[in-house]
Amino acid sequence: MVIFMAIISYVKSIPLLPFLLVAGCLTCHRAFAQPEGLHALLERLNTGPNDTEKVNTYFSISRAYSNKNADSVLLMGQKGLQLATTLQFEKGMALCHLTLGIGYGMKGMYPQALDHHLAALRLSEKLGMRGLIGNDYTNIAIIYSNMRDYPKALEYFQRSLQIAQEYPHDNGVATAYLNIGDLYTRKMDLDSAIAYTQKAIDLSAKAHDSDIQSISLTNLGDIYNKKNQPSQALAYLNRGLAISESIHDEDGIAYTYGSLAESYRLLGLPQKSIPYAQYSLKEARNIRAVETIRTAYHILYGDYLATRDYSRALDYRNLEVALNDSLYTLEKEKQIQLLQSDYELQEKQHQVDLLQNESLRQAAALQRGRIRLYFIIAGGALLIIWAFFLLRSNREKKRINRLLSGHNQEILRQNKDLAALNEVKDKLFSIIGHDLRSPVATLMGFVDLLKDPTLPPDQIRYFGAQMSDSLADTASLLDNLLFWAKSQREGLQVRAQEFDIIPVLEQNARLISGRAVKKKVLLAFEKPPSPVIVMADEAMVDLVIRNLLDNALKFSKEGDVVQLSVVLAGKDAEISITDTGTGIAAEDQDKIFHSISFTKAGTSREKGSGLGLSLCKEMIEQNKGKIWFRSAAGLGTTFTFSLPCLLSRRS
């Protein structure tokens, strides 16, 4: 029985992804089970007995979901492994370990994936299944490649190649050459990549394997693009495109058109590059090939920039940034899954500690039993010795119990600290990875456009204004982020002093006046006739006022009014920021001040991090004040905070 795993990937867009083969039959990674076949497998699963055939059915269903749904692959693999273990069906156990490794690899949980692939390899070696061993070698190589351990990946790919060479009539050798060529491309050893990819082309042509031949030709064209030799790349890419079109390979067609666009871009022919990139984008959207879509966005951005069509260039740049943000979020979710795996490992260690504690208790009980046995044998003459050992045993038990209790409390405390740190870390990653990264990327796009010496003055002024707004939002976000991170790490340190709050209000009103004029919002300030002296941390109060003013302007539209006012209420000064904007929906009002993740876009699609109002509440309360609001949807909002006032002492 021969089982090979073929890993076929386009150099620029598709990472190494595993897929499965049945005995003696190679299956391309773009070929999935048809819905009718999957339906029949599920029917057989529900009606068949719990035997080895059912294990094979679990394995076949997991194959049908390979490269489409990692959770389904893992579910079928786990159920198959449980049944195969109960039946002591070692071949089924090997196959289920293999599919579990693939499922965890799809989710980016590489340590777990490697464990299952190594388990599959041990069983395959025990059973002497050479084809499955080669399959396992390829899977292990893929995991190491995704972990960027290229020496290890190359070692296992070469082992897989040796086994594939034992079956020269199959196309496993061509696939192995293609995998090794792709690995050398990742390492940027392009000459070695060309040599192995050319071997894959030659062998697949002899075997009339159109799938591998088309992918090998496209990969070779991409390698020549990387070597900045687009003229040579075009010859291979056109050959690969012709084969992909003849076999109706939608994925290959979309990707190859993108590679052809890249070649014409390198040749300095943006007008020829644009149609190829647009066709690649259209086809990639139809089949949801995310990496190909991202490449098309990038090429179209560069092409339209080269043709001085700045509006379209900026549109495609923004699309690329948005897609990068979504892919970054997916990557972050994988990282969080890895952190969760680490946490689960700590939980397992905690269970081990509890078992060790139980062993200590059992040992103490055994010691007491021995003492009782000695007492029976020795009789009355050894009564004093028995009492002595019993007393010492009880003391030891109490000492051990105290140690165990302290150890358990420490584990619980560490788990709580870890959960709190994970929450802070996740929020920081979210803000840095999306709310902060997105405006920085947009600024980079503006800077790229402003580098063009032929840019008209009116467009320079327009882009400059856009950059100014983006920088103001980013600066406000950084202030909030730094204050929040410091408060989570060290707690807020209040440095209260007497100061007049009127200049602070005037300064913040001036800071947002330009943005208010731009949004056509009226900014009004009812200035008291005399100073209002408060006792508080001036830097914190300044940040609170800035956040509340930003918030009021954010949710105001053309013709609305934002008004500042100060009144004395007993021993306190009450500062209010009132707007006539969109207001806050009733169902959202409970989330204000209480959630660091709740945020909504402003009337001009301004973004926020969700930190501002939560920070305001914390800082005002730390300064012995209170903060509250009144709002109704469509009728505007008033935020008011109070601070201890010392005006009477000055008068």
Side-chain angles (χ1 to χ4, degrees):
M1 174 175 166
V2 180
I3 301 179
F4 287 114
M5 170 168 289
I7 307 303
I8 302 174
S9 63
Y10 292 111
V11 171
K12 291 182 64 177
S13 68
I14 303 175
L16 292 173
L17 293 173
F19 61 93
L20 303 175
L21 302 175
V22 295
C25 176
L26 179 64
T27 305
C28 176
H29 78 287
R30 294 186 297 272
F32 300 109
Q34 297 299 318
E36 294 80 9
L38 181 58
H39 180 75
L41 289 171
L42 292 171
E43 284 292 326
R44 188 192 311 164
L45 189 66
N46 293 329
T47 58
N50 288 331
D51 57 9
T52 58
E53 185 59 30
K54 191 168 188 177
V55 175
N56 291 330
T57 303
Y58 278 124
F59 173 72
S60 298
I61 295 174
S62 70
R63 286 182 56 242
Y65 284 109
S66 179
N67 289 333
K68 294 194 293 184
N69 189 315
D71 291 330
S72 297
V73 172
L74 290 174
L75 176 63
M76 293 297 103
Q78 288 165 354
K79 287 185 174 295
L81 181 59
Q82 291 172 358
L83 181 57
T85 303
T86 301
L87 300 172
Q88 289 298 299
F89 179 34
E90 291 185 327
K91 174 183 170 184
M93 292 165 62
L95 292 175
C96 291
H97 274 300
L98 183 146
T99 197
L100 285 170
I102 290 171
Y104 282 118
M106 292 168 67
K107 294 174 76 70
M109 302 170 68
Y110 299 129
Q112 293 89 332
L114 193 58
D115 285 345
H116 284 288
H117 285 315
L118 290 172
L121 177 60
R122 287 191 292 270
L123 286 167
S124 302
E125 290 174 338
K126 177 181 177 181
L127 297 171
M129 301 172 66
R130 294 290 292 168
L132 189 55
I133 291 171
N135 197 333
D136 295 329
Y137 283 152
T138 303
N139 277 312
I140 294 169
I142 292 165
I143 297 302
Y144 279 124
S145 179
N146 287 333
M147 295 172 69
R148 303 185 191 279
D149 189 347
Y150 296 129
K152 279 281 190 183
L154 182 58
E155 174 188 344
Y156 280 94
F157 272 139
Q158 288 173 338
R159 291 185 185 181
S160 177
L161 174 60
Q162 291 175 357
I163 293 180
Q165 288 171 338
E166 298 174 12
Y167 308 94
H169 298 296
D170 293 303
N171 56 2
V173 176
T175 302
Y177 282 141
L178 184 59
N179 284 332
I180 296 174
D182 186 63
L183 183 64
Y184 276 119
T185 303
R186 289 178 174 220
K187 294 174 62 178
M188 291 305 293
D189 184 351
L190 300 181
D191 290 333
S192 298
I194 289 173
Y196 278 96
T197 307
Q198 187 62 59
K199 290 180 180 180
I201 292 172
D202 296 339
L203 285 177
S204 59
K206 290 180 182 178
H208 303 290
D209 189 327
S210 298
D211 285 319
I212 296 179
Q213 189 178 9
S214 66
I215 296 170
S216 300
L217 288 166
T218 303
N219 279 9
L220 192 54
D222 280 345
I223 295 169
Y224 278 113
N225 275 340
K226 288 180 180 293
K227 288 173 69 70
N228 201 22
Q229 297 177 10
S231 297
Q232 291 177 266
L234 284 172
Y236 291 102
L237 292 172
N238 282 315
R239 288 171 59 191
L241 178 61
I243 297 175
S244 294
E245 289 177 338
S246 69
I247 61 176
H248 306 291
D249 176 11
E250 295 177 342
D251 190 11
I253 292 170
Y255 181 84
T256 308
Y257 268 100
S259 297
L260 286 165
E262 175 68 6
S263 296
Y264 285 117
R265 187 188 69 81
L266 292 173
L267 286 169
L269 300 172
Q271 295 293 356
K272 292 201 69 173
S273 175
I274 287 172
Y276 283 97
Q278 287 176 335
Y279 189 81
S280 174
L281 178 59
K282 175 185 175 183
E283 294 300 310
R285 282 173 171 170
N286 289 338
I287 59 176
R288 299 181 180 179
V290 178
E291 290 292 338
T292 304
I293 293 172
R294 179 164 63 174
T295 300
Y297 285 156
H298 184 74
I299 294 173
L300 288 168
Y301 161 68
D303 288 340
Y304 281 118
L305 195 62
T307 58
R308 299 183 180 179
D309 189 342
Y310 302 112
S311 177
R312 289 187 180 181
L314 187 58
D315 287 344
Y316 283 107
R317 176 62 173 172
N318 289 334
L319 288 171
E320 182 185 4
V321 169
L323 182 57
N324 285 338
D325 284 343
S326 65
L327 293 177
Y328 179 82
T329 301
L330 291 175
E331 183 63 24
K332 189 183 67 150
E333 290 174 355
K334 288 186 178 180
Q335 294 174 356
I336 293 172
Q337 288 174 346
L338 289 174
L339 290 174
Q340 181 64 27
S341 298
D342 291 340
Y343 178 78
E344 291 172 356
L345 184 60
Q346 292 181 8
E347 286 292 310
K348 291 179 181 178
Q349 183 60 47
H350 176 62
Q351 295 297 326
V352 171
D353 291 341
L354 292 178
L355 290 174
Q356 290 176 344
N357 295 343
E358 184 62 26
S359 297
L360 289 173
R361 291 191 181 95
Q362 291 177 357
L366 181 60
Q367 184 180 7
R368 291 194 300 271
R370 288 174 179 171
I371 292 172
R372 294 189 188 97
L373 179 61
Y374 294 151
F375 174 76
I376 295 173
I377 295 174
L382 300 177
L383 181 60
I384 296 177
I385 298 175
W386 173 81
F388 171 75
F389 279 105
L390 182 60
L391 179 62
R392 189 177 71 173
S393 174
N394 287 333
R395 288 177 179 174
E396 183 68 12
K397 176 183 176 182
K398 290 179 181 179
R399 186 183 69 82
I400 291 173
N401 285 339
R402 285 196 300 270
L403 289 175
L404 294 177
S405 177
H407 186 53
N408 288 338
Q409 291 298 323
E410 179 65 17
I411 290 174
L412 292 174
R413 186 189 65 78
Q414 289 177 354
N415 285 342
K416 291 180 180 179
D417 291 345
L418 179 61
L421 288 174
N422 275 340
E423 183 179 357
V424 173
K425 169 192 62 58
D426 289 345
K427 182 60 181 176
L428 285 172
F429 280 172
S430 175
I431 295 170
I432 294 171
H434 185 271
D435 296 326
L436 185 58
R437 186 170 179 268
S438 181
V440 171
T442 301
L443 285 171
M444 290 175 65
F446 286 136
V447 171
D448 287 342
L449 292 173
L450 292 174
K451 288 179 181 178
D452 189 349
T454 63
L455 196 67
D458 58 336
Q459 290 196 7
I460 291 176
R461 288 192 297 273
Y462 170 76
F463 290 134
Q466 295 292 320
M467 290 175 66
S468 177
D469 290 345
S470 183
L471 282 170
D473 292 339
T474 305
S476 176
L477 173 62
L478 280 172
D479 286 342
N480 286 340
L481 179 60
L482 291 173
F483 260 92
W484 181 78
K486 183 177 180 181
S487 71
Q488 297 299 307
R489 188 178 69 253
E490 303 173 357
L492 290 175
Q493 302 296 322
V494 179
R495 295 178 175 85
Q497 60 182 4
E498 299 178 15
F499 68 94
D500 185 0
I501 199 170
I502 302 302
V504 179
L505 290 166
E506 291 177 331
Q507 178 184 0
N508 279 282
R510 286 194 298 272
L511 287 175
I512 72 162
S513 60
R515 293 163 57 199
V517 170
K518 184 176 180 181
K519 289 191 74 169
K520 298 182 180 179
V521 173
L522 177 62
L523 184 62
F525 178 27
E526 297 179 3
K527 183 177 178 181
S530 58
V532 178
I533 309 301
V534 297
M535 173 64 76
D537 188 314
E538 186 172 354
M540 291 186 184
V541 174
D542 179 68
L543 185 58
V544 170
I545 295 171
R546 191 185 321 155
N547 271 290
L548 294 178
L549 278 173
D550 283 343
N551 217 42
L553 185 59
K554 175 181 176 182
F555 294 102
S556 295
K557 56 190 180 298
E558 181 178 345
D560 283 337
V561 178
V562 174
Q563 184 170 1
L564 292 82
S565 62
V566 181
V567 298
L568 298 179
K571 296 182 179 180
D572 293 335
E574 293 184 354
I575 297 89
S576 297
I577 290 88
T578 301
D579 66 75
T580 59
T582 59
I584 304 171
E587 63 269 18
D588 292 334
Q589 293 189 10
D590 288 341
K591 303 172 186 176
I592 304 299
F593 299 139
H594 300 296
S595 172
I596 64 173
S597 60
F598 174 72
T599 181
K600 285 193 172 183
T603 56
S604 296
R605 295 181 294 179
E606 301 97 330
K607 295 181 179 179
S609 66
L611 288 176
L613 293 177
S614 178
L615 266 176
C616 289
K617 183 176 187 296
E618 185 175 359
M619 288 189 287
I620 291 299
E621 290 178 349
Q622 288 289 328
N623 281 276
K624 301 180 180 179
K626 296 180 180 179
I627 185 168
W628 63 95
F629 70 93
R630 300 189 308 276
S631 183
L635 299 179
T637 303
T638 297
F639 277 91
T640 304
F641 65 89
S642 64
L643 291 171
C645 181
L646 305 178
L647 182 60
S648 59
R649 185 188 303 174
R650 294 293 185 90
S651 59

